[in-house]
Amino acid sequence: MKTEVTWQEDVHFTAQTGSGFSIEIDGNQQAGARPMELLLAGLGGCTSYDVVNILKKSRQDVVSCVAKIDADRADSVPSVFTEIRVHFVVTGRNLKDKVVERAVKLSAEEYCSASLMLEKGGVKIVHSFEVIEAE
């Protein structure tokens, strides 16, 4: 896996991923996301992928899955994440709470590389979920 990050100006950079996508990064949030926001987005994408995949394999009729993520950072430099909260809002038809709970737990404890890596680095990650019946 490779990524190339090129300085544009000031605190603005462009990342070119190995899979061919460009991401704008900007420390001032004028032309792109902040680097630490991208870490949270990567975590969200990783764990969401797992949860949806597990639910589909479990024959759950999922129509939406939103991971709402917020985090606390250390007050001193380096301002690392100290705690991250991932809350899934899963919408579907006749979803079983136990199956959703299992999917979230499996992602957190076995499958999500981003989550497991951050936890090994000392970040506390709390997962929660709610199930909404689709209309």
Side-chain angles (χ1 to χ4, degrees):
M1 183 174 288
K2 294 181 180 188
T3 295
E4 185 174 288
V5 178
T6 304
W7 176 49
Q8 301 300 324
E9 63 181 337
D10 193 25
V11 291
H12 176 205
F13 301 83
T14 300
Q16 186 69 36
T17 68
S19 54
F21 294 95
S22 292
I23 302 168
E24 298 302 316
I25 305 167
D26 193 310
N28 291 330
Q29 288 185 290
Q30 309 248 330
R34 290 170 142 174
M36 295 298 277
E37 289 175 320
L38 290 173
L39 282 174
L40 290 180
L43 167 64
C46 185
T47 191
S48 294
Y49 172 88
D50 293 337
V51 169
V52 169
N53 196 36
I54 293 165
L55 291 173
K56 284 184 174 185
K57 286 182 178 178
S58 300
R59 295 190 171 102
Q60 296 297 290
D61 189 4
V62 181
V63 297
S64 173
C65 179
V66 178
K68 297 182 179 187
I69 304 166
D70 68 295
D72 298 327
R73 294 177 69 181
D75 292 330
S76 59
V77 175
S79 187
V80 297
F81 290 124
T82 55
E83 181 174 313
I84 300 171
R85 291 163 298 281
V86 182
H87 180 73
F88 289 96
V89 180
V90 185
T91 304
R93 294 176 193 87
N94 301 313
L95 296 176
K96 295 183 176 110
D97 284 3
K98 287 286 187 195
V99 178
V100 175
E101 180 180 29
R102 179 179 169 270
V104 170
K105 184 175 178 160
L106 282 171
S107 175
E109 296 178 1
E110 292 184 36
Y111 295 119
C112 180
S113 302
S115 180
L116 293 166
M117 180 179 64
L118 287 165
E119 284 185 322
K120 284 184 179 184
V123 180
K124 178 181 178 184
I125 302 179
V126 179
H127 295 81
S128 61
F129 71 93
E130 64 184 281
V131 174
I132 298 174
E133 184 65 24
E135 295 181 17

